[in-house]
Amino acid sequence: MVNLIASHIVKPAKPIPTKVMFLSECDQRNPITHANSVHFYKPESPELLKDATEVLKDSLSEALVEFYPLAGRLYQKDGGRVELHCNSMGALLFEAQSELKIEDFGDFCPTPQIHALIPPIDYNNTPLHEVPLLLVQITRLACGGVSLGVAASHIIVDGQSWFHFFPEWAKIARGEKSDDKPFLDRTFFRQYEDDHPSSTAPKSQYSDFFPLPVLIGQSSSLEERKKSTICAMLKLSKDQIEQIKNKANYQDLMIHKTNNQSPFSRFVAVSAHIWKCLSKARMHNPDQETVLYVSVDFRNRLKPPLPGRYFGNAVLPVPARANVGDLQSRPLSYASSKIKEAIENVTDEYVRSYLVCMKNIPEVSSSRHFHTVGCP
């Protein structure tokens, strides 16, 4: 279906600092895999797409000068941790061709056809230090359009960092000036990870940040963890999302008879709706505890906040907890309030406790791939 034609190593266009770059505990807890996305470009400007490969290679080379951590490699350390070598080994760019047209991909749900547009990575047979941190695949489609599949290391970037890099790369590809530079000094994180001796607050445990409810009637979660993690895509229209949000906020207003609090966001309301539906579908005991994890960006929740355009990971998973019976019997606003409360709990103190807790874990590999699709 997709034929790989050529591959190219793309290195920074200018010399960059050669060094071992500090990785924070927030970087270290991420899976050693890549975040994937696919971008489609219609055949509306065939002249522009004709030289797409050369344009991508040249612009990526320029972009890697400022975003040079993406051109490095990871090396294994003790305790399952890794270190980043900024060594200009470069990104990997594939050229490919497909007999499919853009319309053949339908609604773009994850399928084998979609995955074929993403750069291939063999984690099992490739030493870690040989795996590029950024891979790109340009696939020419039968309709004249192209797809751009990208894979970026979870260790190096989170969503906000990636959506800083990608538009800057696009600017360069369009011949514009890239002037929104990243803040690359990750040692800034050390001040948050230090375990201050003067603190009298009780130390948080790993289980405080990652509660793992055991099914009623079972002695451990081992059997449940052996099951494969699957991904489902749920379609909600704009109107449905607004209905869910309005329902949650109306119920909250009826219960508290006041509108002093900020309303539930669309994200919170839809997450609560899915949480309720999942709990119902699983038919658990009403007394069964369930946990929903929400990813929270904490860049501006720290004191002092991280510098603007900090390039790295600054997201942590936050647990919202409730019993199945309460989720089912109480209104949508109840589940929404649990999620909102969990998000609001992410304060400077919470983040620092989390980072210190992660720092004190001698072996991180056991928790790194938990709930990662395709991993045990």
Side-chain angles (χ1 to χ4, degrees):
M1 195 79 63
V2 172
N3 297 317
L4 293 178
I5 299 171
S7 63
H8 312 271
I9 290 291
V10 181
K11 298 190 176 186
K14 299 175 184 177
I16 58 102
T18 300
K19 59 183 179 181
V20 175
M21 182 174 280
F22 170 79
L23 292 176
S24 74
E25 290 302 317
C26 201
D27 298 318
Q28 295 285 1
R29 68 155 298 276
N30 283 324
I32 307 180
T33 55
H34 292 63
N36 304 323
S37 62
V38 186
H39 309 258
F40 290 89
Y41 300 86
K42 295 179 179 179
E44 294 170 347
S45 305
E47 286 302 311
L48 289 175
L49 297 180
K50 185 177 66 174
D51 300 323
T53 302
E54 288 305 313
V55 170
L56 286 174
K57 284 168 57 179
D58 293 343
S59 58
L60 180 56
S61 180
E62 289 289 339
L64 289 176
V65 174
E66 293 294 343
F67 294 87
Y68 61 81
L70 288 169
R73 293 293 184 270
L74 295 176
Y75 282 75
Q76 204 77 51
K77 289 174 60 180
D78 294 337
R81 287 175 168 80
V82 294
E83 62 183 16
L84 171 60
H85 288 220
C86 296
N87 53 16
S88 294
M89 291 298 290
L92 181 57
L93 185 148
F94 291 98
E95 290 183 72
Q97 201 149 10
S98 173
E99 298 174 354
L100 296 178
K101 302 174 183 178
I102 290 180
E103 54 265 32
D104 293 331
F105 296 99
D107 57 8
F108 304 107
C109 281
T111 62
Q113 289 79 14
I114 287 283
H115 283 290
L117 304 177
I118 296 169
I121 308 172
D122 186 355
Y123 296 108
N124 295 323
N125 299 307
T126 308
L128 178 62
H129 64 274
E130 294 181 9
V131 177
L133 303 180
L134 175 62
L135 300 95
V136 179
Q137 179 178 317
I138 178 171
T139 305
R140 297 188 179 276
L141 305 171
C143 59
V146 300
S147 69
L148 183 64
V150 289
S153 169
H154 279 293
I155 298 286
I156 306 303
V157 293
D158 61 9
Q160 189 151 319
S161 293
W162 174 251
F163 286 108
H164 175 195
F165 166 76
F166 199 70
E168 291 304 299
W169 176 21
K171 280 183 187 176
I172 298 171
R174 292 194 301 268
E176 300 172 12
K177 185 180 180 181
S178 170
D179 52 7
D180 192 3
K181 296 183 179 181
F183 183 89
L184 298 177
D185 185 6
R186 300 188 186 210
T187 59
F188 198 88
F189 240 103
R190 282 194 170 126
Q191 63 180 304
Y192 307 117
E193 295 178 358
D194 287 343
D195 191 0
H196 302 289
S198 59
S199 174
T200 57
K203 297 294 182 290
S204 299
Q205 303 298 314
Y206 184 82
S207 57
D208 296 326
F209 299 105
F210 295 95
L212 189 62
V214 176
L215 283 179
I216 293 174
Q218 295 187 8
S219 58
S220 76
S221 62
L222 187 58
E223 288 305 311
E224 288 299 307
R225 292 184 63 178
K226 288 179 181 178
K227 296 178 179 178
S228 61
T229 301
I230 62 171
C231 178
M233 187 167 282
L234 309 175
K235 295 183 183 179
L236 292 170
S237 69
K238 184 177 181 180
D239 288 342
Q240 288 173 319
I241 291 173
E242 287 303 313
Q243 287 174 18
I244 292 170
K245 176 186 172 184
N246 293 338
K247 180 180 179 181
N249 284 303
Y250 177 76
Q251 291 172 343
D252 190 56
L253 180 61
M254 291 299 99
I255 292 171
H256 295 103
K257 305 298 182 184
T258 178
N259 202 19
N260 292 333
Q261 297 182 351
S262 59
F264 299 125
S265 66
R266 288 173 298 178
F267 173 82
V268 166
V270 171
S271 299
H273 176 70
I274 294 173
W275 194 13
K276 281 172 67 74
C277 291
L278 277 171
S279 299
K280 184 176 182 179
R282 288 171 173 164
M283 296 185 289
H284 285 316
N285 186 309
D287 294 328
Q288 176 66 52
E289 185 186 30
T290 174
V291 175
L292 174 77
Y293 285 98
V294 179
S295 293
V296 177
D297 187 305
F298 57 78
R299 282 169 169 76
N300 294 320
R301 295 171 185 257
L302 289 166
K303 297 178 181 178
L306 284 171
R309 288 314 200 179
Y310 174 80
F311 192 72
N313 286 285
V315 174
L316 55 80
V318 181
R321 311 170 74 157
N323 286 347
V324 168
D326 289 333
L327 288 175
Q328 293 306 303
S329 64
R330 302 180 73 167
L332 180 63
S333 60
Y334 172 78
S336 300
S337 67
K338 288 290 184 180
I339 298 171
K340 184 181 178 185
E341 179 184 336
I343 294 172
E344 291 175 344
N345 281 342
V346 182
T347 60
D348 175 75
E349 182 180 344
Y350 184 97
V351 176
R352 288 174 185 264
S353 297
Y354 171 85
L355 293 172
V356 169
C357 177
M358 295 298 110
K359 185 178 180 180
N360 291 332
I361 295 176
E363 172 61 57
V364 299
S365 56
S366 60
S367 62
R368 171 174 277 144
H369 290 283
F370 187 61
H371 276 323
T372 300
V373 175
C375 297

